Amino acid sequence: FSNITFFIFGPLMTFLMRPYIQKRSRCIYVLFILFTITGLFSMYFHMTLSFLGQMLDEIAILWLLASGYSIWLPRCYFPTFLGQNRSWYISLIVTITLVSTFLSFLKPTINAYALNAIGLHIVYIVVQEYKKTKNKELRHLIEVSTVIWALALTSWISDRLFCSFWQWINFSYLHSIWHVLISFTFPYGMVILAMVDSAYEMPDQTIRVRYWPRDTWPVGLPYVEMGDDHKSC
């Protein structure tokens, strides 16, 4: 039941970011579909605790990360042998992800390496962009997402290391809290990457960060809104 937020946030983010997606790339629809599928496979895994469920869960996360990575990574971070060609870059990421998916069934630990490699590089890019940007909205997004991610990671680690203690006090919900918090972290990460990408790929567009259900609420679901005006050259 703690995965229910994936089924809510996926379609909701698709609706909220539709104007941006239509101007940037319709491939982003696939990203939100994968986000929802991740919640579905996670639910299946935790219902069955089967090896198949675990593989589906991890592979869905791998493809989700790889999709966002291929769509939004700024060209200045591309490997030099690819130049600035995003089509070649996407082909490279899809090939590597396909190979990792195949190998994960032969050696499941491959998935962990692939997930960590992509995840850590995304963190590196976000840190670099945080240092460079003067955009207060982007800096705020990164700061809030860092806090949510840290809380989620703390819940996961505490559940893994001190499981017997939490069972002893009859509080076995930390992994569920991890699911809910990480389902918030992903939308924040997507909006952060969209904001970073827009500075490189859509410099003439005004991109604003909005929060659902209201901008004035202390916590909300972030999304980007396309401004009606154009930036001056």
Side-chain angles (χ1 to χ4, degrees):
F1 286 108
S2 61
N3 285 296
I4 196 68
T5 46
F6 285 87
F7 296 98
I8 298 172
F9 293 162
L12 183 58
M13 288 287 288
T14 304
F15 171 75
L16 293 172
M17 294 185 65
R18 185 179 176 186
Y20 163 78
I21 293 172
Q22 291 180 335
K23 285 202 172 185
R24 178 61 182 89
S25 172
R26 284 182 169 80
C27 292
I28 300 172
Y29 284 124
V30 176
L31 194 65
F32 291 116
I33 292 171
L34 286 170
F35 178 78
T36 307
I37 289 174
T38 298
L40 176 65
F41 286 162
S42 179
M43 182 178 288
Y44 172 72
F45 169 47
H46 289 83
M47 286 173 62
T48 62
L49 296 179
S50 64
F51 175 73
L52 176 61
Q54 179 184 354
M55 295 306 301
L56 290 174
D57 184 22
E58 293 181 356
I59 289 171
I61 297 171
L62 174 63
W63 278 93
L64 174 62
L65 290 176
S67 298
Y69 191 63
S70 60
I71 293 170
W72 283 318
L73 185 75
R75 296 174 192 266
C76 60
Y77 295 104
F78 284 8
T80 53
F81 65 88
L82 294 177
Q84 299 283 306
N85 193 310
R86 186 170 293 276
S87 296
W88 291 358
Y89 169 72
I90 292 175
S91 298
L92 175 64
I93 295 300
V94 169
T95 301
I96 292 173
T97 308
L98 281 170
V99 172
S100 298
T101 301
F102 173 75
L103 292 178
S104 65
F105 283 96
L106 302 177
K107 191 173 180 61
T109 52
I110 291 292
N111 241 343
Y113 290 112
L115 289 172
N116 288 328
I118 295 176
L120 289 174
H121 194 246
I122 290 174
V123 170
Y124 168 78
I125 299 303
V126 170
V127 170
Q128 296 304 308
E129 293 299 322
Y130 181 82
K131 293 177 180 177
K132 291 193 294 185
T133 188
K134 294 181 180 178
N135 187 319
K136 292 182 179 179
E137 289 183 330
L138 178 57
R139 292 179 72 91
H140 176 73
L141 274 172
I142 294 173
E143 289 163 1
V144 172
S145 65
T146 300
V147 172
I148 298 174
W149 177 76
L151 290 172
L153 193 61
T154 300
S155 298
W156 186 83
I157 292 174
S158 182
D159 178 67
R160 295 280 292 183
L161 297 181
F162 307 110
C163 183
S164 57
F165 169 75
W166 297 115
Q167 287 181 330
W168 179 61
I169 65 172
N170 199 28
F171 188 81
S172 303
Y173 306 109
L174 285 180
H175 196 79
S176 297
I177 294 172
W178 150 262
H179 285 166
V180 175
L181 290 175
I182 208 67
S183 70
F184 271 96
T185 304
F186 268 114
Y188 270 87
M190 292 174 187
V191 174
I192 288 168
L193 292 176
M195 289 287 291
V196 169
D197 170 81
S198 67
Y200 292 96
E201 301 290 339
M202 306 168 68
D204 60 325
Q205 294 287 334
T206 300
I207 307 292
R208 302 187 181 95
V209 179
R210 292 289 183 260
Y211 295 87
W212 182 90
R214 292 181 182 275
D215 290 338
T216 55
W217 285 24
V219 178
L221 190 69
Y223 64 98
V224 294
E225 181 181 80
M226 304 297 298
D228 295 329
D229 56 321
H230 293 271
K231 297 178 181 177
S232 58
C233 297

